[in-house]
Amino acid sequence: MADPARDALGAAAAVPEPPPAAASPPEAAAAEAAGDGEVREAGGGSELKAEVADGEVRSAEGEAADAEEPGLQAGAARKVKLELKERKEKKQKVDEDEIQKMQILVSSFSEEQLNRYEMYRRSAFPKAAIKRLIQSITGTSVSQNVVIAMSGISKVFVGEVVEEALDVCEKWGELPPLQPKHMREAVRRLKARGQIPNSKYKKIIFH
Amino acid sequence: MADEEEDVPFEEDAEDAGGGLDGGQGRRKRLFSKELRCMMYGFGDDQNPYTESVDILEDLVIEFITEMTHKAMSIGRQGRVQVEDIVFLIRKDPRKFARVKDLLTMNEELKRARKAFDEANYGS
């Protein structure tokens, strides 16, 4: 694949879809370097990130240990510190493995699969429209994080509906493109599973 | 504002009645048509999804956002929508919960990186 845009997408395959704007690789690397030890699955696997993260974890734990009573507590605190550090290192190793596997997978995609993957990663709801919609419902202004969170879960919601509709379509022995009847059946099934919020009808728990 | 509130239940009836039957009144302009098409293709649909399916999805998304917003307004700090409320509402759904956590963490990282980058530039 000699397409530079595709390579960038493959390199960023480990990092989950960036919220504010598409992150170019240098920006993603910088983000990893500045990340603190609290990052769980944000991916990245550069040694720079691991060093910085470990340094911050160590200093944070050192302060916490000093705050406790010295003597008996110091030994236990040191052990906890070591355990935490080991766990974070293991988690980072697992992240690195996952990133490598993703890179291998993406590099073996066909042209059509790459197109679809690119659309999957890049598509997003426009922040302005979502913000306008939420503000028209609340009547007050909302913070940027709320818009980011809402856009994110809306995209997951769309994914759930589309995947269920594709299951329905396949089960009925038909082919995509999805038709409204598939979508409606998918919605009916998701509602039965409680995955679609519906606060219009009063729930009778005991009767 | 009151107009928008009445629009939402009206839109859902229109969805079942089929597009275009009700004419001009209360027909909100399609907000997400282009983005939804790309999203549907990304999630497995055909490269050119049917317009009616896209419309149904848009109505679903708007209803979803409306429900979440109303619920978030009723818990925590009343009348306001805050991130903690959204996270609380999502807690039972593992996919959405993980996604929100990831997005917010990455946003913090990127903000920190940008700030460090700007400070480095400012210093030099």
Side-chain angles (χ1 to χ4, degrees):
Chain A
M1 237 79 12
D3 189 348
R6 293 274 166 75
D7 291 338
L9 203 61
V15 183
E17 178 193 22
S24 55
E27 193 177 9
E32 267 118 51
D36 71 1
E38 232 179 80
V39 172
R40 296 178 297 116
E41 298 147 16
S46 58
E47 306 109 61
L48 190 60
K49 172 200 179 194
E51 276 178 31
V52 172
D54 278 348
E56 293 201 34
V57 168
R58 245 177 266 127
S59 58
E61 296 308 333
E63 290 172 71
D66 290 339
E68 308 197 48
E69 310 170 356
L72 209 67
Q73 296 283 355
R78 223 176 294 128
K79 210 183 292 180
V80 168
K81 202 192 339 174
L82 274 171
E83 266 183 39
L84 268 167
K85 194 174 121 190
E86 280 174 17
R87 214 176 300 157
K88 286 222 161 76
E89 283 176 356
K90 196 168 50 152
K91 221 172 270 182
Q92 278 165 4
K93 185 129 199 319
V94 165
D95 282 342
E96 290 174 17
D97 285 339
E98 198 179 318
I99 293 164
Q100 270 196 326
K101 286 188 205 161
M102 273 303 284
Q103 287 183 335
I104 298 176
L105 177 64
V106 175
S107 61
S108 58
F109 274 170
S110 72
E111 181 77 25
E112 204 250 327
Q113 286 172 322
L114 267 177
N115 265 333
R116 204 182 280 273
Y117 185 62
E118 183 175 351
M119 278 297 114
Y120 164 69
R121 294 290 298 257
R122 286 228 156 106
S123 62
F125 286 114
K127 299 247 184 312
I130 299 275
K131 186 161 188 172
R132 219 179 321 134
L133 178 60
I134 301 181
Q135 284 183 333
S136 77
I137 300 173
T138 69
T140 69
S141 65
V142 292
S143 73
Q144 201 195 35
N145 277 351
V146 168
V147 176
I148 291 176
M150 197 63 91
S151 316
I153 51 181
S154 303
K155 182 168 173 184
V156 176
F157 175 69
V158 168
E160 286 174 356
V161 175
V162 171
E163 284 180 359
E164 187 69 28
L166 283 169
D167 278 344
V168 167
C169 179
E170 191 183 348
K171 190 167 182 199
W172 290 354
E174 296 169 1
L175 297 166
L178 293 170
Q179 300 169 35
K181 58 179 176 177
H182 303 135
M183 313 288 289
R184 291 207 193 92
E185 173 65 15
V187 171
R188 192 193 63 84
R189 288 192 193 178
L190 288 177
K191 271 207 173 112
R193 274 188 263 161
Q195 281 186 292
I196 296 195
N198 177 22
S199 55
K200 291 195 182 64
Y201 298 106
K202 196 159 154 209
K203 264 185 283 198
I204 303 177
I205 307 178
F206 307 109
H207 64 278
Chain B
M1 283 304 154
D3 234 22
E4 296 280 284
E5 306 264 293
E6 279 161 43
D7 249 356
V8 179
F10 190 82
E11 282 281 273
E12 281 138 33
D13 291 340
E15 168 216 305
D16 290 313
L21 266 183
D22 296 280
Q25 190 197 4
R27 195 84 229 170
R28 186 188 288 139
K29 188 171 106 94
R30 291 287 148 190
L31 293 172
F32 308 129
S33 185
K34 268 189 288 192
E35 292 88 4
L36 267 180
R37 271 172 216 278
C38 296
M39 231 180 260
M40 287 175 78
Y41 175 50
F43 280 119
D45 196 4
D46 194 68
Q47 203 158 11
N48 289 320
Y50 286 135
T51 307
E52 295 84 5
S53 308
V54 179
D55 282 350
I56 291 183
L57 252 186
E58 165 155 1
D59 292 336
L60 278 170
V61 168
I62 293 186
E63 181 185 349
F64 176 77
I65 295 182
T66 308
E67 287 280 324
M68 293 293 299
T69 308
H70 279 302
K71 281 193 188 162
M73 281 204 288
S74 66
I75 68 174
R77 224 175 133 200
Q78 310 274 349
R80 297 185 75 95
V81 181
Q82 296 177 308
V83 200
E84 297 81 17
D85 301 336
I86 298 183
V87 173
F88 177 75
L89 290 171
I90 282 297
R91 71 197 186 284
K92 294 282 178 66
D93 189 331
R95 249 189 227 163
K96 298 196 182 90
F97 184 71
R99 184 67 180 156
V100 173
K101 285 281 172 182
D102 276 348
L103 284 174
L104 294 175
T105 311
M106 284 243 308
N107 191 34
E108 291 300 311
E109 272 192 35
L110 281 167
K111 274 205 290 202
R112 239 175 262 140
R114 271 192 218 119
K115 190 164 152 230
F117 182 69
D118 284 336
E119 276 171 16
N121 264 359
Y122 186 67
S124 66

